[in-house]
């Protein structure tokens, strides 16, 4: 293979056989599990391990991000829901009815990330109505992070299985 074929192979839009798609999947899920309602995991980890000032810092960050998320949700909830639904339904139709591999890949990445966004939004509203502090807050955030990681693991596994199926069924072995 010469260098032009190598470069073309790196930038092609075949989703499940592309290095770039799998890199995007890895980065997306790493970011989704690292940032919980805008709080980086290292802040949460330090609050659990070291207590004291780290817990107070976490409480302040949670308060700021909960207010930010709930205000944005209050202003743009209908628009975000409509646009998000339109995009996901469009990707599903393009991907699974019209068999566009790029749309399939974006859908199987975007749908679970949308669920994670809804989990984070629900957490923000829950913390707005019933504020937690100290160890209760840390425990709640760790439970939601565990849920995020479980959704991510199932999603990555399902994406890999579907990607293998899509590649094998698209190949001609004769």
């Amino acid at each position: 293979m010469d260098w032009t074929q190598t470069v073309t192979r790196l930038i092609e839009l075949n989703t499940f056989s592309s290095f770039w798609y799998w890199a995007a999947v890895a980065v997306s899920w790493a970011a989704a599990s690292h940032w919980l309602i805008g709080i980086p995991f290292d802040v949460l980890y330090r609050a659990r391990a070291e207590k004291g000032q780290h817990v107070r810092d976490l409480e302040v960050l949670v308060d700021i991000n909960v207010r930010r998320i709930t205000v944005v949700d209050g202003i743009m909830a209908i628009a975000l829901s409509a646009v998000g639904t339109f995009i996901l339904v469009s990707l599903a139709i393009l991907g699974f009815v019209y068999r566009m591999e790029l749309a399939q890949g974006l859908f199987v990445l975007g749908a679970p990330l949308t669920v994670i966004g809804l989990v984070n939004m629900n957490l923000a509203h829950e913390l707005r109505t019933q504020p937690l502090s100290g160890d209760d807050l840390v425990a709640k955030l760790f439970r939601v992070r565990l849920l995020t990681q479980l959704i991510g693991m199932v999603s990555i596994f399902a994406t890999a299985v579907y990607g293998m199926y899509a590649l094998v069924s698209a190949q001609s072995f004769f």
Side-chain angles (χ1 to χ4, degrees):
M1 218 183 335
D2 67 347
W3 71 272
T4 56
Q5 287 176 328
T6 304
V7 170
T8 304
R9 177 91 172 123
L10 279 175
I11 60 173
E12 67 185 22
L13 294 178
N14 292 339
T15 306
F16 299 113
S17 63
S18 171
F19 164 77
W20 299 111
Y21 175 74
W22 292 106
V25 167
V27 168
S28 297
W29 283 108
S33 68
H34 181 73
W35 294 91
L36 184 66
I37 65 167
I39 310 296
F41 177 68
D42 61 301
V43 172
L44 180 59
Y45 181 77
R46 276 197 307 271
R48 183 174 77 170
E50 298 177 24
K51 310 278 187 223
Q53 183 62 41
H54 295 291
V55 173
R56 289 188 293 278
D57 291 346
L58 174 67
E59 290 170 350
V60 169
L61 282 174
V62 167
D63 184 50
I64 291 168
N65 285 313
V66 162
R67 281 186 282 123
R68 182 181 56 85
I69 291 169
T70 54
V71 166
V72 169
D73 184 45
I75 295 170
M76 300 177 53
I78 295 173
L80 287 173
S81 298
V83 170
T85 302
F86 173 77
I87 290 171
L88 285 176
V89 168
S90 297
L91 287 173
I93 290 170
L94 288 171
F96 301 108
V97 174
Y98 292 105
R99 310 297 293 163
M100 291 179 60
E101 188 178 325
L102 179 61
Q104 291 172 0
L106 291 174
F107 179 81
V108 298
L109 177 60
L113 286 173
T114 302
V115 171
I116 296 301
L118 293 173
V119 166
N120 281 316
M121 197 169 299
N122 185 45
L123 175 64
H125 284 286
E126 186 178 320
L127 291 174
R128 178 80 175 205
T129 58
Q130 298 172 338
L132 298 174
S133 62
D135 290 338
D136 293 335
L137 177 63
V138 172
K140 177 72 172 180
L141 292 174
F142 264 95
R143 282 192 304 272
V144 173
R145 183 170 191 269
L146 178 63
L147 175 64
T148 300
Q149 290 177 321
L150 289 172
I151 292 170
M153 286 188 306
V154 169
S155 174
I156 291 170
F157 178 75
T159 301
V161 169
Y162 182 77
M164 285 186 280
Y165 168 75
L167 288 174
V168 168
S169 66
Q171 299 291 326
S172 173
F173 295 106
F174 299 107

